[in-house]
Amino acid sequence: METWRQKAGIAALFACLLLTAAALCYCLFGFSAGSGEMEGTFVEAAEVMRA
């Protein structure tokens, strides 16, 4: 009985890690994929520093 609990716990742990990694990748690469031009305060600050 304990081995099944351990296996289920490990499977749940890997599932959570996988979902977290997928959400992180989506946040890093998914939001900006649709827009051709970057905008925002960070980009404005970078343009000021570059000029």
Side-chain angles (χ1 to χ4, degrees):
M1 186 73 163
E2 286 294 319
T3 58
W4 288 105
R5 262 191 216 166
Q6 288 176 347
K7 288 180 183 178
I10 291 172
L13 176 71
F14 279 122
C16 288
L17 287 174
L18 203 66
L19 287 173
T20 303
L24 182 66
C25 287
Y26 178 75
C27 288
L28 288 175
F29 306 114
F31 289 144
S32 62
S35 63
E37 183 177 333
M38 292 177 59
E39 55 185 49
T41 56
F42 180 75
V43 175
E44 291 171 4
E47 288 176 354
V48 168
M49 290 177 64
R50 198 179 314 156

